[in-house]
Amino acid sequence: MPVLRRLLIALPSVMGVIVVTFLLTRALPGDPAIYFAGPAATQQAIAEIRHAMGFDRSLPAQFVDYVRHLSRGDLGTSLTTGQPVLSELAARLPASAELTLTALVLSVGIALPLGIVAALRPGSPVDHVCRIITTAGVSLPTFFTGLLLVYLFYYLAGVAPAPLGRLDTFSTPPPHYSGFYLVDSLIAGDFVTFRAALGQLLLPSATMAIFSLAPLARITRASMLAALGSEFIRTARASGLGRRRVVCVYALRNALLPVITTLGMVFSFMLGANVLVEKVFAWPGLGSYAVDALIASDYAPVQGFVLAMALLYVMLNLMIDLIYCLLDPRVRLDA
Amino acid sequence: MAWPPPDSRMAPLLAVEDLLVEFHTRSGTVRALDGVSFDLRHGEMMALVGESGSGKSVTAYAILGILDTAARISGRVVFDGRELLSAGEKAMGAVRGSKLAIIFQNPRTALNPIRPIGKQIADVLARHGNVTAAQAQRLGVEMLAKVRIPDPKRRAAAYPFELSGGMCQRVMIAMALACEPALLIADEPTTGLDITTQAAIMGLIAELVASRNMAMLLITHDLALAAQYCNRIAVMHAGHLVELAPTRLLFATPRHPYTANLIAAAPGEGAGLDRLSAIPGTIPDLRRGDLPACRYSERCERVTPDCRTGPLLRLDTADGRRVACRHPL
Ligand SMILES: Nc1ncnc2c1ncn2[C@@H]1O[C@H](COP(=O)(O)OP(=O)(O)OP(=O)(O)O)[C@@H](O)[C@H]1O
Ligand SMILES: [Mg+2]
């Protein structure tokens, strides 16, 4: 029930997103009618196309139309590809999700142990590594990290495959189960494709991981230090509890609370970073789809993309809240 | 009452000898304790009093071995026949919480905020006793009943934030006494609680300690509280143990000027908490390089030049008293 209420609370912001994206796309420079009529089109032809697209009607009329279609789950049709936006988004979602989740697993897998060890041994080499990474990570823009990694590992060292999407040209995509190539190729028992997909995935997910590593490692170290210095840890030690119990159960669980909050924030940053990283690595995900549509003044995909991101963001925050509630008894979902 | 009591020839439960603690910090070395010595017999209740910053908590933490790593400790702490300062972390872990337990002030922050209190007590029981997790949980509920928490079975699932400060302190007591320790150190167990709760908590501790024939080291600001529950009182000032005496003698004939001032400043029973400020001056900064031999000398009306240049004289008298003063009253 509280979950449902949280979702209802998010409804106004989703409405806001719908209005804003509609207006924003209409305010974009460029006229889709001119774009689609082609360079040789006459004034007459352009006007006809505009009429056919409905762009000659008033903004409110267009908006009502847009919302009416939305309520039927119709996100419109892309003018460049001629395909329904919804099915295109659905087809591209796994690519983005696989990239983002791999990056998240990678960065959590590195940042948490790093932050914990740094907090357990302040001033040790691990602590210094942690400090360097957290400082470097925030000062490198993602597209730069991406290009740097491509330059180093593909161009110079030649160990990484060409940054050209999810699979090299010699491989065929695995049969579709989840849409995640890593998972699907494993289900199909096709380890060659698995290796190829993993190879393609490594650099872009590393790019995103480096970007999200810094805030996660920093908050893990800080909150772990705070937890270790707190009075209940002193009580646990005074009760003779073993080091592992003190660190893993008493300190870590408390230290994880701020980490979870930061994780939610980092994840939503990653949704944004996706757009650039996908472009650098020619990743056929949602981000590159949106960028292409934006360049072509193709309204429907852009609107669909922003709406999908907004919904994802709402779901994400809800999930973070739920996890937080499970971990922290002081927080109630219905409060 | 005859003093010393007949069993005093037995080896003491706790013997602290020449305890010295320094913290090496960025802003200099804090000489927190210097030459602190005292004994505690089986079943005895003794108080450690002194104003804020005098080193009472540091003494307790040094005995338990829970000072932070910046601390340099020397001296001897013999508990139940074992030297603790040289015992390893593993051996100390077995003693802490089982034979030697502590209750802290601020019970609310001293408990893990996101772990049910029953589990926290069970953790201690599971650590020290040969019990299963389920048995530990059940024994934990029994302990909650013993500290008179109503409806202990249900309360075991509560979190500290759901309980009052007094209830949290009862939980701390249950946790400390769960493994039947021989010595309980109570570090200002009633500070931060309201007056009526204070009396109830102190009464509960004293009753449980007495009924189990445990020894207790009561750390407090409050001379009247110390007098009410303890048969001996040790007075600390700026990291020195300045006077140690049976309660009655300490009040009747204080020998250290600081003790005399403490007693004079305390207007009888149930006095306000701020009365310690009635003593002139403040505790010297323990980071100073030029600390005088007697750290009270700068506040003392009986001071002579040799008090500062030292060395500090510690006099033991036949009636079981000790005073660290060149010119005792
Ligand atoms: N971890 C530490 N690092 C540096 N100095 C410390 C540390 N712990 C205690 N001290 C110093 O040691 C001195 C004694 O502190 P302690 O906490 O024992 O006082 P206290 O008598 O318990 O006072 P209170 O009544 O306020 O609890 C103080 O000057 C304090 O600043
Ligand atoms: Mg203290």
Side-chain angles (χ1 to χ4, degrees):
Chain A
M1 255 310 125
V3 177
L4 209 70
R5 226 178 55 206
R6 280 282 161 115
L7 278 176
L8 284 179
I9 290 171
L11 217 56
S13 38
V14 173
M15 304 274 232
V17 167
I18 293 174
V19 175
V20 171
T21 45
F22 176 83
L23 290 176
L24 269 183
T25 44
R26 291 326 185 259
L28 283 177
D31 184 337
I34 297 177
Y35 186 88
F36 282 96
T42 58
Q43 244 1 75
Q44 168 90 35
I46 292 171
E48 270 166 22
I49 288 174
R50 188 172 290 140
H51 180 71
M53 289 171 157
F55 293 149
D56 55 348
R57 295 159 59 207
S58 71
L59 271 188
Q62 287 186 43
F63 184 69
V64 168
D65 225 35
Y66 172 59
V67 173
R68 214 176 50 227
H69 283 105
L70 259 190
S71 62
R72 274 181 272 143
D74 179 5
L75 291 178
T77 305
S78 163
L79 294 176
T80 21
T81 62
Q83 299 294 316
V85 170
L86 188 64
S87 61
E88 284 204 309
L89 285 178
R92 283 164 168 268
L93 181 65
S96 290
E98 187 170 38
L99 174 60
T100 313
L101 288 178
T102 309
L104 199 69
V105 168
L106 211 60
S107 78
V108 169
I110 296 171
L112 256 60
L114 192 67
I116 292 168
V117 174
L120 287 176
R121 303 192 201 301
S124 67
V126 177
D127 192 15
H128 291 306
V129 168
C130 183
R131 188 152 352 151
I132 291 167
I133 287 182
T134 51
T135 320
V138 286
S139 43
L140 292 175
T142 38
F143 69 92
F144 177 76
T145 323
L147 290 175
L148 188 71
L149 290 183
V150 169
Y151 179 73
L152 289 178
F153 292 100
Y154 168 63
Y155 183 74
L156 286 186
V159 289
L164 293 173
R166 303 179 78 185
L167 278 178
D168 52 52
T169 40
F170 315 110
S171 311
T172 43
H176 185 100
Y177 300 107
S178 63
F180 287 23
Y181 281 7
L182 290 184
V183 177
D184 289 353
S185 60
L186 277 185
I187 293 176
D190 182 353
F191 296 106
V192 180
T193 308
F194 179 80
R195 289 233 353 231
L198 188 65
Q200 295 293 128
L201 195 57
L202 232 43
L203 285 194
S205 55
T207 304
M208 291 226 287
I210 288 172
F211 154 82
S212 54
L213 203 63
L216 280 179
R218 186 197 301 260
I219 196 78
T220 306
R221 178 180 179 276
S223 61
M224 192 68 187
L225 269 179
L228 285 171
S230 62
E231 292 184 21
F232 63 85
I233 291 297
R234 187 185 63 190
T235 307
R237 293 218 303 134
S239 310
L241 298 192
R243 185 169 168 77
R244 181 173 309 151
R245 192 157 200 85
V246 170
V247 170
C248 298
V249 179
Y250 279 67
L252 186 58
R253 279 193 201 165
N254 278 279
L256 276 184
L257 299 174
V259 175
I260 297 291
T261 316
T262 310
L263 196 65
M265 219 169 61
V266 162
F267 201 96
S268 43
F269 284 161
M270 277 175 135
L271 293 182
N274 246 337
V275 176
L276 289 171
V277 175
E278 286 184 5
K279 210 59 203 156
V280 171
F281 290 91
W283 202 258
L286 296 177
S288 53
Y289 177 64
V291 173
D292 291 342
L294 202 60
I295 291 168
S297 306
D298 196 353
Y299 292 166
V302 176
Q303 283 170 175
F305 170 78
V306 176
L307 194 60
M309 285 298 136
L311 289 177
L312 221 61
Y313 186 79
V314 168
M315 298 300 287
L316 184 76
N317 274 307
L318 185 69
M319 216 159 71
I320 294 290
D321 283 352
L322 283 175
I323 295 174
Y324 205 101
C325 285
L326 285 180
L327 287 177
D328 191 346
R330 290 164 293 186
V331 179
R332 293 257 180 273
L333 207 55
D334 42 18
Chain B
M1 184 170 58
W3 195 268
D7 65 344
S8 67
R9 278 159 289 127
M10 267 173 60
L13 174 65
L14 174 76
V16 176
E17 290 165 29
D18 213 13
L19 189 61
L20 182 133
V21 175
E22 294 180 342
F23 296 99
H24 295 281
T25 66
R26 223 172 289 169
S27 58
T29 300
V30 183
R31 291 171 186 79
L33 291 185
D34 180 28
V36 170
S37 305
F38 61 89
D39 302 341
L40 200 62
R41 279 172 284 275
H42 289 271
E44 187 186 5
M45 296 201 207
M46 180 173 137
L48 208 52
V49 300
E51 59 198 298
S52 192
S54 55
K56 306 182 297 289
S57 296
V58 171
T59 306
Y61 298 174
I63 293 169
L64 279 155
I66 55 168
L67 283 171
D68 68 50
T69 45
R72 295 285 164 271
I73 311 169
S74 69
R76 273 163 63 80
V77 173
V78 181
F79 173 73
D80 206 18
R82 296 223 345 247
E83 211 292 306
L84 298 186
L85 293 185
S86 59
E89 185 57 29
K90 209 170 164 193
M92 278 310 286
V95 175
R96 287 199 289 256
S98 64
K99 285 285 190 64
L100 181 53
I102 185 166
I103 304 171
F104 298 102
Q105 70 178 77
N106 295 333
R108 217 187 266 285
T109 49
L111 290 167
N112 188 341
I114 61 168
R115 199 164 174 77
I117 55 164
K119 274 220 176 74
Q120 297 189 47
I121 301 174
D123 281 341
V124 182
L125 282 158
R127 164 71 177 86
H128 296 292
N130 279 323
V131 291
T132 63
Q135 282 172 319
Q137 190 74 30
R138 197 172 42 73
L139 288 172
V141 174
E142 274 174 32
M143 276 316 295
L144 289 179
K146 282 185 193 150
V147 294
R148 296 198 209 108
I149 288 184
D151 200 359
K153 214 176 170 98
R154 198 171 56 83
R155 284 289 164 80
Y159 294 91
F161 78 97
E162 295 169 317
L163 303 177
S164 68
M167 279 296 157
C168 284
Q169 194 58 295
R170 284 172 196 266
V171 174
M172 279 296 296
I173 296 168
M175 205 165 154
L177 301 190
C179 297
E180 304 269 326
L183 170 60
L184 175 71
I185 300 178
D187 188 354
E188 311 198 24
T190 56
T191 313
L193 304 177
D194 65 77
I195 304 277
T196 42
T197 317
Q198 279 185 9
I201 291 289
M202 215 37 240
L204 178 70
I205 293 176
E207 179 198 317
L208 291 173
V209 164
S211 70
R212 280 144 210 254
N213 206 22
M214 288 162 44
M216 176 169 78
L217 184 63
L218 174 66
I219 294 177
T220 177
H221 288 120
D222 189 339
L223 211 50
L225 191 77
Q228 192 181 345
Y229 292 100
C230 300
N231 32 30
R232 280 199 304 159
I233 296 178
V235 180
M236 289 193 72
H237 176 266
H240 284 159
L241 203 157
V242 293
E243 182 160 13
L244 176 66
T247 304
R248 237 164 14 86
L249 294 180
L250 188 92
F251 276 90
T253 53
R255 308 224 34 214
H256 196 283
Y258 179 60
T259 316
N261 273 338
L262 273 185
I263 294 168
E269 301 259 328
L273 290 168
D274 54 342
R275 67 195 131 84
L276 292 187
S277 62
I279 298 170
T282 52
I283 287 190
D285 184 351
L286 300 179
R287 287 169 305 189
R288 263 168 50 184
D290 61 338
L291 274 177
C294 170
R295 296 180 181 179
Y296 188 62
S297 58
E298 285 163 359
R299 306 170 74 180
C300 185
E301 56 271 33
R302 301 168 70 86
V303 64
T304 56
D306 51 350
C307 290
R308 297 178 203 275
T309 50
L312 184 67
L313 293 185
R314 293 187 172 90
L315 308 173
D316 283 301
T317 54
D319 50 1
R321 305 182 62 167
R322 171 176 303 163
V323 57
C325 183
R326 283 177 176 269
H327 313 291
L329 295 162

